[in-house]
Amino acid sequence: MASSEESRSAAEIVAAAWSDVLSYGRDIIDPAVPRVAYQHPSLRELWPMVSHGVLYLSRCTRYPWSRDTPTAFRQGGGGYQVRRGPDQALLGVVDTLEEAYALIAASLPDGCGPAIDGTPDDLRLCAGLDREA
């Protein structure tokens, strides 16, 4: 018999993860961060996770997760740096959280669609690719 996790669709897994992240308090992340990201339909389809107060988005729901979506990092002096993983290329420095997540949404990798229930290896299989996700 399949576990409840295995029987849920990727969209349901992503929706549940967003529900959790959106409920986090300031001790985990500034609540405005996931709320602003969630306003973008293309980002809402990705699997959210939080580490060290930063919201990361993945194209897959299972570890080691994809590392190819941009991330916003708050700067000490104000504003945000938006960097692309895994090379950490700087995509831009913006003043507001809204601008940061608009830039992230506009900078998603080609073919970035809803997260799949799997790992980066499964992303390559789904796309018929042999390159790193």
Side-chain angles (χ1 to χ4, degrees):
M1 181 175 196
S3 72
S4 62
E5 183 74 12
E6 290 170 346
S7 65
R8 293 192 309 170
S9 72
E12 291 170 322
I13 293 168
V14 168
W18 272 109
S19 180
D20 288 344
V21 169
L22 288 164
S23 72
Y24 290 166
R26 288 196 174 278
D27 56 326
I28 297 175
I29 191 169
D30 176 351
V33 173
R35 284 196 302 262
V36 168
Y38 192 78
Q39 292 174 6
H40 294 272
S42 60
L43 302 182
R44 190 177 12 215
E45 295 181 327
L46 301 175
W47 193 77
M49 67 194 114
V50 175
S51 178
H52 297 87
V54 176
L55 177 67
Y56 294 91
L57 301 168
S58 175
R59 297 191 306 142
C60 53
T61 63
R62 298 185 191 200
Y63 183 81
W65 304 294
S66 67
R67 299 179 307 145
D68 57 351
T69 57
T71 304
F73 297 94
R74 184 164 185 78
Q75 298 189 116
Y80 296 84
Q81 287 186 5
V82 176
R83 294 192 172 273
R84 180 184 62 223
D87 63 0
Q88 290 300 303
L90 180 64
L91 299 178
V93 176
V94 296
D95 293 328
T96 69
L97 197 52
E98 291 77 12
E99 291 171 312
Y101 281 95
L103 179 55
I104 289 171
S107 302
L108 291 174
D110 291 338
C112 187
I116 64 159
D117 182 20
T119 68
D121 288 336
D122 298 315
L123 282 171
R124 288 192 294 279
L125 291 174
C126 288
L129 302 174
D130 288 326
R131 60 181 169 85
E132 177 69 21

